[in-house]
Amino acid sequence: MPNDTATEVSTSATELVSSGLVATELAAANHSLSETNADLERRVLERTTELAHANGLLRLKEQTLRLAQHFGGAGTWDWEISTGRLTWSDCYGSPDCLDDDSTPGTYSGWLETLLPEDRVEVERRLNACLLGQEDEFVIEYRIDHPPRDIRWMAGRGRCIRDDAGKPVRMIGLRIDITDRRRAEEAARAARDEAERANLDKSRFLAAASHDLRQPVQAASLFLGMLERRDLDPETRDLVGMVSSSLEGLRGMLNGLLEVARLEAGIVDPQMRDFPIDDLLHRLASEFEEQARVKRLWLQVPPASLVVSSDPLLLELILRNLISNAIKYTDRGGVTVECRELDGCGVVEVADTGRGIPDDKFTVIFEDFRQLDNPARDRARGFGLGLATVSRVARLLGYDIGLRSELNNGSVFSFKIPLASGHETAGSGRTDLLAEAPGDLTGRSIVVVEDDPAILMALEMLLGDWGLEVHSASSVQDVPTLLDGLDRVPDLLAVDYRLPNGSSGLDVVDIVHRRWPVPAILMTGDTAPERLTEAKRSGYRLLHKPINPDDLRRTLVDCL
């Protein structure tokens, strides 16, 4: 019995120990489970916080996107090709453009909202994108939006394809560009209006110039004859004053002509090498009297450079710069010089005049702009001098530089290419334009001019030169005139614009059917299209008012 009792006691002790161990393990497991649960709760809380933050950012970004869509007039669209289902988030879908108002529809339903004349091109571009002919769908089109009338849209999209390359959907963006298109249309309308106004201005100036040139031409021819008469000193002085006034008017009219010729694009630079000293000193002689009358000095230092340019166009630039400098200089004088610098010729026209404000450096090169001439004194010209300088300089590839200080004068300058292997020019000067007037005695000329005063003046002047003159006033009179001639005429001088819509070219054609007579066209027209047409004819062209010496020189040159 004692052994049995001991055994039981031992067993009980063992069970108690075992139970204690289980309890300890259970306690430990429970503690571990509590820690794990706390960790999970912490992690869940962290993730929940992160998710809430991410959702907040997402909402902010969505709101930002919608604001961008709202202010940009944009909407997104998603077209499921297999079903034709079309979903878009459009700023027209809600009053404030911020609510998510995805409106499902169909492709065909959307197509119906487009103006009929735009649908064909939209479908073509969409199909090109679906077929892979274009990477993206990009087009502008119009929709009929009842609350907002007709709207312009810019559509952009990209095709999404499956692994086999088959298109499954197209997503994209459409932007309301109505304001931009309206602004473009307004700008286009303003530009068209400005072009019409400019055309009307050109037509007015051409008509006014033509009508002014006719009487000036007659006066110039009559005056040319009068200057050749034996006059007493007092009468010759009066004739000189009239001639000077007429020359000023001719200069202003020629300014209009140069603008018209440049606008018509009929001026082709004829580049050649020549000593610039000849040109500078001829201009100095021409403007010397004008400077002397204003008690100004005009200095033109010798220039030993041979330059490469169009001598007539270069003269036009210098003539306008010198004339402008003298007009706007009251004390001191004007200096014109050309010197070599860095392998180029640098031409400068400097004056001691009133100067030009910095903010007017660009304005002075515009047509009909004159500073300090509010009364529009026509003795100072039309304000075309510097505009002509700018046009001719661009034609020759020159940049006109300007330095000026108020009350301390101005300096206009530009660079000009030197002739290849330029050596010092010889001392002997050659007049670029002067030619000895040849003898016209005994020659025969046919003249067609519709203005009676100009026709009379031409008949008298040409007769004084010894020419046999045969004249008519219209195209219709020419055949009868030619039938009455007893010999082939040597020359033909014809006004370009004749009555009843005919032109001098019609006269030339009639004469040339009989004889190949050298022809000269005379015109007072400055309309660009007329100048272009006359230039294209290939005949010699003289612009009214024609200087008698120029007319004689041209006649001799044509023989």
Side-chain angles (χ1 to χ4, degrees), residues 107 110-112 114-128 134 137 139-142:
Y107 168 73
W110 166 75
L111 202 60
E112 287 296 320
L114 273 64
L115 294 195
E117 53 266 38
D118 291 351
R119 291 174 194 166
V120 173
E121 181 61 16
V122 168
E123 286 192 285
R124 188 189 71 79
R125 300 293 291 274
L126 272 171
N127 289 331
E134 297 181 6
F137 164 67
I139 196 170
E140 294 182 1
Y141 57 91
R142 290 164 294 176

Side-chain angles (χ1 to χ4, degrees), residues 492-504:
L492 174 63
V494 192
D495 185 24
Y496 185 72
R497 188 161 76 174
L498 294 171
N500 303 318
S502 57
S503 78

